[in-house]
Amino acid sequence: MAGPGGDMQWCFSQVKGAIDDDVAEADIISTVEFNHTGELLATGDKGGRVVIFQQEIENKNQPQFRSEYNVYSTFQSHEPEFDYLKSLEIEEKINKIRWLPQKNAAQFLLSTNDKTIKLWKISERDKRPEGYNLKEEDGRYKDPNTITSLRVPVLKPMDLMVEASPRRVFANAHTYHINSVSVNSDNETYLSADDLRINLWHLEITDRSFNIVDIKPANMEELTEVITAAEFHPHQCNTFVYSSSKGTIRLCDMRVSALCDKHSKLFEEPEDPSNRSFFSEIISSISDVKFSHNGRYMMTRDYLSVKIWDLNMETRPVETYQVHEYLRSKLCSLYENDCIFDKFECCWNGNDSVVMTGSYNNFFRMFDRGHRRDVTLEASRENSKPMQVLKPRKVCTGGKRKKDEISVDSLDFNKKILHTAWHPQDNIIAVATTNNLYIFQDKVN
Amino acid sequence: MISTMECAVDAQSLISISLMKIHNSRTQRGGIKLHKNLLVSYVLRNARQVYIKEKYAEIYRMQQYEEVMTVCNEIQELNPLDLEAEDAEDEEQARAACCAEEASACGSPCHRGAAHCRAAGTVAGCSLLEDGCKEPEPSYYRSCCMEAPPAPLCEQCPANSSAHCNKTTVLDLDTHVVTTVENGYLHQDCCCDALQCGQSAQSPAKKRKVEFGCCASDAEEAPDFTAARKRAKREDCSYSAPDYTDTSNISNLISIFGSGFSGLLSRQADLEQICSKQALASLGAWTRAIVAF
């Protein structure tokens, strides 16, 4: 893969998380997201916790030593709840985290589980007032009779403390499971999408939301598709897209009407009849949709491929990349063990020249759009020496297995990379295995 | 259509796996996942389509085979020593005669009552032979399939029309009550139908004996006998072959499922339309399970 100055070589930088193979369910990472500057990296897990890592200031004297991400803040975002009316447990698993663009000293992010979205404020405190008149240093109130003088409290430096506090709770707006949140470019509104509806919120208002898409049929028996992902356009605050389980993407313009059930554009590629199988519907279901940074393209991920769409062409994608085509003959087994329902995400690099997505056996794939090259890399503890260059991996699809190749039957389908994120400016990537977060960066020559 | 060569798992096991998934999802933490269940229902629909087509083809093949065996047995039974060769000849001549006589009567359309079916059964052999001789009459063949199998010499028998099916069993998942629905309408592809076709293959032996001569006159004498045999055969067939029990259970579940997610029904697949309409009357459990979202 060619970057400025030659081929990119990915090196191991860090790994976060427990080492032991026995994975606690609560530690399973469910979402990964860089903030807009790339300084902060947030992860959410099945236990409802959010962990934020901060990039240390790069040591300019030693360009070889790239900055590291260290834990900045950890907090419990969502707790398990119980819907008494429906007798249903609501999982605390964090489905999505989205950062708000920074407006002041504090950082804000939206985190959501199946039913409730929360706006969290993460702020630093490195000073503390000292010299209260009525309180001792440890907080106990003084006996008023002992106070003989007045003084003004003074701010003194203290150890940095990072606080996370929930500023807004957006609840009770979704009957079905929330799968997406997306902040609008106007920095005032955001959307949240569940299986059948999309709601528009104002960040300041929690007791009201506008429903802008509703695909619930009058008779649930006639249900044929659900919403799988939704995102606002990066620049046009009136435009958003949502993908469906049928493999279609609809682009909607909020200026057209209040309710955007009618799409402005419908992106759909006709199915190849020769590939028809029992599982055609499952593998065509789109699991993620992401606009490019420049807003001209969008990328969709279905079970076997990644597709790049030009927003001006609805009939077919402009590029299609096969992630793991060798799985097409294994769909039966993948259906039996439920792997066929895995929802892989995808992401763009900063200049939209490379896209990345995950696969099984802790493999992840990168596709260089310009140079038509792709590479398979692995996130594993074995390749975890500092600055160790990642060796490209290859899956043997049939015939004689070459040395260093791995056969399809040897793939570990329990080791899946569903969530990946790319730093908005630099070649730094965060790749989440089941319970570990790997950080790789491009080797600085 | 759907390539079944893609994997080793057959439609039947896919159906059971899918139903198992749907059943398990009801107890999963976090509530029923609408998206996953929708996808599973698509697999179920696809598997059912293939399963029903395969089953029908299999039943048809079995019919052909049983027909041949029955005729051979009959020949051995009646005149094992002398008339074996002659009988074959006689049969053919009689059939030809029947064909000529009954040509006009054979052109009637498919939908008939049970009584007619029985009567038609006696001439079915002729008409079906005619099918083999001349241009096949699809609709007529189907209506007679209930009673009589195609003749052994008739290689091609079209099977494009609908037929009556007397009963369907429905299982209510909530109460575990099994109810039998009479007078449903099913397309050719229905397993119930196919089952009856299969087992009625044994009746032609006696019928053909009566038929030698004039077919029409025997229409009245034959029915009671064939009907009685048919009823007995139907019961036998339900329990005779061990795999039939399984497939009948599965076909019952299939017809139940036809009631749910009717939006998935393809407009070209009349089969499911008919099945679902019939089963819509007994929605019950599946509706509750799915509409519970």
Side-chain angles (χ1 to χ4, degrees), chain A residues 126-128 130 155-159:
Chain A
D126 60 359
K127 294 184 187 50
R128 120 180 131 212
E130 278 181 23
L155 287 173
K156 294 259 174 76
M158 59 177 259
D159 290 337

PDB file of all heavy atoms in Angstrom, chain A residues 126-128 130 155-159:
ATOM      1  N   ASP A 126      -7.740  20.344  37.345  1.00  0.00           N
ATOM      2  CA  ASP A 126      -6.358  20.289  37.828  1.00  0.00           C
ATOM      3  C   ASP A 126      -6.083  21.378  38.859  1.00  0.00           C
ATOM      4  O   ASP A 126      -4.938  21.648  39.211  1.00  0.00           O
ATOM      5  CB  ASP A 126      -5.378  20.395  36.667  1.00  0.00           C
ATOM      6  CG  ASP A 126      -5.550  21.697  35.903  1.00  0.00           C
ATOM      7  OD1 ASP A 126      -6.446  22.495  36.266  1.00  0.00           O
ATOM      8  OD2 ASP A 126      -4.804  21.915  34.930  1.00  0.00           O
ATOM      9  N   LYS A 127      -7.127  22.031  39.315  1.00  0.00           N
ATOM     10  CA  LYS A 127      -6.971  23.030  40.369  1.00  0.00           C
ATOM     11  C   LYS A 127      -8.070  22.791  41.386  1.00  0.00           C
ATOM     12  O   LYS A 127      -9.141  22.279  41.072  1.00  0.00           O
ATOM     13  CB  LYS A 127      -7.107  24.448  39.809  1.00  0.00           C
ATOM     14  CG  LYS A 127      -6.016  24.860  38.856  1.00  0.00           C
ATOM     15  CD  LYS A 127      -6.219  26.298  38.448  1.00  0.00           C
ATOM     16  CE  LYS A 127      -5.267  26.733  37.362  1.00  0.00           C
ATOM     17  NZ  LYS A 127      -5.202  25.842  36.215  1.00  0.00           N
ATOM     18  N   ARG A 128      -7.750  23.207  42.582  1.00  0.00           N
ATOM     19  CA  ARG A 128      -8.812  23.062  43.584  1.00  0.00           C
ATOM     20  C   ARG A 128      -8.733  24.240  44.545  1.00  0.00           C
ATOM     21  O   ARG A 128      -7.649  24.710  44.872  1.00  0.00           O
ATOM     22  CB  ARG A 128      -8.646  21.703  44.267  1.00  0.00           C
ATOM     23  CG  ARG A 128      -8.420  21.761  45.723  1.00  0.00           C
ATOM     24  CD  ARG A 128      -8.268  20.456  46.401  1.00  0.00           C
ATOM     25  NE  ARG A 128      -7.076  20.631  47.201  1.00  0.00           N
ATOM     26  CZ  ARG A 128      -6.223  19.690  47.490  1.00  0.00           C
ATOM     27  NH1 ARG A 128      -6.415  18.482  47.017  1.00  0.00           N
ATOM     28  NH2 ARG A 128      -5.182  19.953  48.222  1.00  0.00           N
ATOM     29  N   GLU A 130      -8.629  26.257  47.873  1.00  0.00           N
ATOM     30  CA  GLU A 130      -8.204  26.007  49.252  1.00  0.00           C
ATOM     31  C   GLU A 130      -8.445  27.249  50.092  1.00  0.00           C
ATOM     32  O   GLU A 130      -8.337  28.364  49.602  1.00  0.00           O
ATOM     33  CB  GLU A 130      -6.715  25.658  49.294  1.00  0.00           C
ATOM     34  CG  GLU A 130      -6.433  24.209  48.977  1.00  0.00           C
ATOM     35  CD  GLU A 130      -4.953  23.888  49.054  1.00  0.00           C
ATOM     36  OE1 GLU A 130      -4.196  24.615  49.749  1.00  0.00           O
ATOM     37  OE2 GLU A 130      -4.543  22.907  48.409  1.00  0.00           O
ATOM     38  N   LEU A 155      -7.185  29.219  44.407  1.00  0.00           N
ATOM     39  CA  LEU A 155      -7.092  27.996  43.596  1.00  0.00           C
ATOM     40  C   LEU A 155      -5.651  27.525  43.573  1.00  0.00           C
ATOM     41  O   LEU A 155      -4.743  28.258  43.176  1.00  0.00           O
ATOM     42  CB  LEU A 155      -7.559  28.285  42.174  1.00  0.00           C
ATOM     43  CG  LEU A 155      -9.073  28.463  42.004  1.00  0.00           C
ATOM     44  CD1 LEU A 155      -9.399  28.922  40.594  1.00  0.00           C
ATOM     45  CD2 LEU A 155      -9.788  27.155  42.308  1.00  0.00           C
ATOM     46  N   LYS A 156      -5.479  26.280  43.995  1.00  0.00           N
ATOM     47  CA  LYS A 156      -4.142  25.705  44.002  1.00  0.00           C
ATOM     48  C   LYS A 156      -4.098  24.530  43.050  1.00  0.00           C
ATOM     49  O   LYS A 156      -5.085  23.824  42.872  1.00  0.00           O
ATOM     50  CB  LYS A 156      -3.812  25.212  45.426  1.00  0.00           C
ATOM     51  CG  LYS A 156      -3.704  26.309  46.468  1.00  0.00           C
ATOM     52  CD  LYS A 156      -2.241  26.613  46.723  1.00  0.00           C
ATOM     53  CE  LYS A 156      -2.090  27.807  47.655  1.00  0.00           C
ATOM     54  NZ  LYS A 156      -2.384  27.461  49.074  1.00  0.00           N
ATOM     55  N   PRO A 157      -2.982  24.245  42.436  1.00  0.00           N
ATOM     56  CA  PRO A 157      -2.919  23.106  41.508  1.00  0.00           C
ATOM     57  C   PRO A 157      -3.071  21.791  42.251  1.00  0.00           C
ATOM     58  O   PRO A 157      -2.738  21.682  43.433  1.00  0.00           O
ATOM     59  CB  PRO A 157      -1.528  23.218  40.883  1.00  0.00           C
ATOM     60  CG  PRO A 157      -0.760  24.181  41.696  1.00  0.00           C
ATOM     61  CD  PRO A 157      -1.709  24.978  42.521  1.00  0.00           C
ATOM     62  N   MET A 158      -3.588  20.830  41.530  1.00  0.00           N
ATOM     63  CA  MET A 158      -3.735  19.499  42.109  1.00  0.00           C
ATOM     64  C   MET A 158      -3.445  18.467  41.024  1.00  0.00           C
ATOM     65  O   MET A 158      -3.279  18.819  39.851  1.00  0.00           O
ATOM     66  CB  MET A 158      -5.149  19.306  42.644  1.00  0.00           C
ATOM     67  CG  MET A 158      -6.201  19.463  41.573  1.00  0.00           C
ATOM     68  SD  MET A 158      -7.845  19.157  42.175  1.00  0.00           S
ATOM     69  CE  MET A 158      -8.118  17.517  41.605  1.00  0.00           C
ATOM     70  N   ASP A 159      -3.438  17.214  41.406  1.00  0.00           N
ATOM     71  CA  ASP A 159      -3.269  16.159  40.397  1.00  0.00           C
ATOM     72  C   ASP A 159      -4.452  16.182  39.462  1.00  0.00           C
ATOM     73  O   ASP A 159      -5.593  16.397  39.880  1.00  0.00           O
ATOM     74  CB  ASP A 159      -3.189  14.789  41.082  1.00  0.00           C
ATOM     75  CG  ASP A 159      -1.885  14.649  41.842  1.00  0.00           C
ATOM     76  OD1 ASP A 159      -0.922  15.362  41.502  1.00  0.00           O
ATOM     77  OD2 ASP A 159      -1.851  13.831  42.776  1.00  0.00           O
TER      78      ASP A 159
END
